[in-house]
Amino acid sequence: MSYGVWLSFFSYTIVTALSPGPNNILALNSTGNLGLKQSRKLLFGIYTGFLGVMAVCGVFSTVLVAMLPNILIYMKYLGVAYIVWLAYHVVISKPLEVTENENSPSFWKGFILQFVNVKIILWGITVFTSFVLTNYHSSISILGFILLLSLIGNGATYIWAVTGSAFSDLLKKYFRVSNIVMAALLLYSAVKLIFS
């Protein structure tokens, strides 16, 4: 890729990864309520699932592009339903004590979110079809981009998680307001998916 294409690639991937979305809002909410240590299972689930989705996008991108209209119809509404479900649970949640392990966010909640998270699926498909597959075709290149995209996406989620942890006391003090704002951002993501 030329310098200009690399610049476009990084502009698109980083800005989109840092924008509010299900992963980022869920990470912020979890670490704001529980801290980084108690949220590590959820974060690891997000990171692992994200890598899995990027692998699917990279390996099957040409097939998915051919099937895209059919897949997007179902994935879009499944993703919207899950995001709305998450928003509901964010808005009704209260700050948890560290001892309340039964309510701690789980690996599977973060992992499963990735496979219905239309934002990252579309992000991965867009990157592979617009930037990667037009310039690179080898298996090693595809694997490299899978890892690079996972690093960018998971890095953005980690930034939101650290932000939630850093502002933990403020988020706990004003948990109702912060939960409503975060739920509204999730609902905004869902609305954007419906009309995109």
Side-chain angles (χ1 to χ4, degrees), residues 90-164:
V90 166
V91 85
I92 66 167
S93 69
K94 295 179 182 173
L96 301 173
E97 295 299 320
V98 174
T99 56
E100 296 183 52
N101 290 327
E102 68 275 9
N103 293 323
S104 293
S106 71
F107 169 88
W108 292 110
K109 186 183 217 179
F111 185 83
I112 290 169
L113 171 62
Q114 305 318 296
F115 292 90
V116 295
N117 186 345
V118 179
K119 178 188 174 188
I120 69 158
I121 293 169
L122 289 176
W123 182 75
I125 291 170
T126 301
V127 171
F128 277 104
T129 57
S130 300
F131 296 102
V132 178
L133 294 175
T134 56
N135 296 289
Y136 301 97
H137 303 289
S138 73
S139 299
I140 298 295
S141 297
I142 302 301
L143 178 60
F145 278 101
I146 289 168
L147 296 175
L148 178 59
L149 291 174
S150 296
L151 180 67
I152 291 168
N154 288 331
T157 299
Y158 186 73
I159 289 169
W160 281 71
V162 169
T163 301

Side-chain angles (χ1 to χ4, degrees), residues 1-19 119 123 126-127 131 148-149 152-153 156:
M1 284 194 278
S2 68
Y3 173 77
V5 175
W6 276 108
L7 185 61
S8 295
F9 168 83
F10 282 115
S11 296
Y12 174 75
T13 57
I14 292 171
V15 169
T16 306
L18 284 171
S19 68
K119 178 188 174 188
W123 182 75
T126 301
V127 171
F131 296 102
L148 178 59
L149 291 174
I152 291 168

Side-chain angles (χ1 to χ4, degrees), residues 34-131:
L34 300 169
L36 278 170
K37 187 175 181 181
Q38 285 294 108
S39 300
R40 68 180 179 261
K41 288 180 185 175
L42 173 75
L43 294 173
F44 186 65
I46 290 172
Y47 302 155
T48 306
F50 194 99
L51 177 62
V53 169
M54 288 305 105
V56 168
C57 289
V59 173
F60 298 108
S61 201
T62 53
V63 174
L64 290 174
V65 168
M67 298 169 59
L68 192 59
N70 295 333
I71 289 174
L72 278 182
I73 290 168
Y74 300 110
M75 290 302 294
K76 180 187 229 180
Y77 292 107
L78 185 61
V80 165
Y82 190 72
I83 292 168
V84 169
W85 179 84
L86 282 176
Y88 169 75
H89 284 281
V90 166
V91 85
I92 66 167
S93 69
K94 295 179 182 173
L96 301 173
E97 295 299 320
V98 174
T99 56
E100 296 183 52
N101 290 327
E102 68 275 9
N103 293 323
S104 293
S106 71
F107 169 88
W108 292 110
K109 186 183 217 179
F111 185 83
I112 290 169
L113 171 62
Q114 305 318 296
F115 292 90
V116 295
N117 186 345
V118 179
K119 178 188 174 188
I120 69 158
I121 293 169
L122 289 176
W123 182 75
I125 291 170
T126 301
V127 171
F128 277 104
T129 57
S130 300
F131 296 102

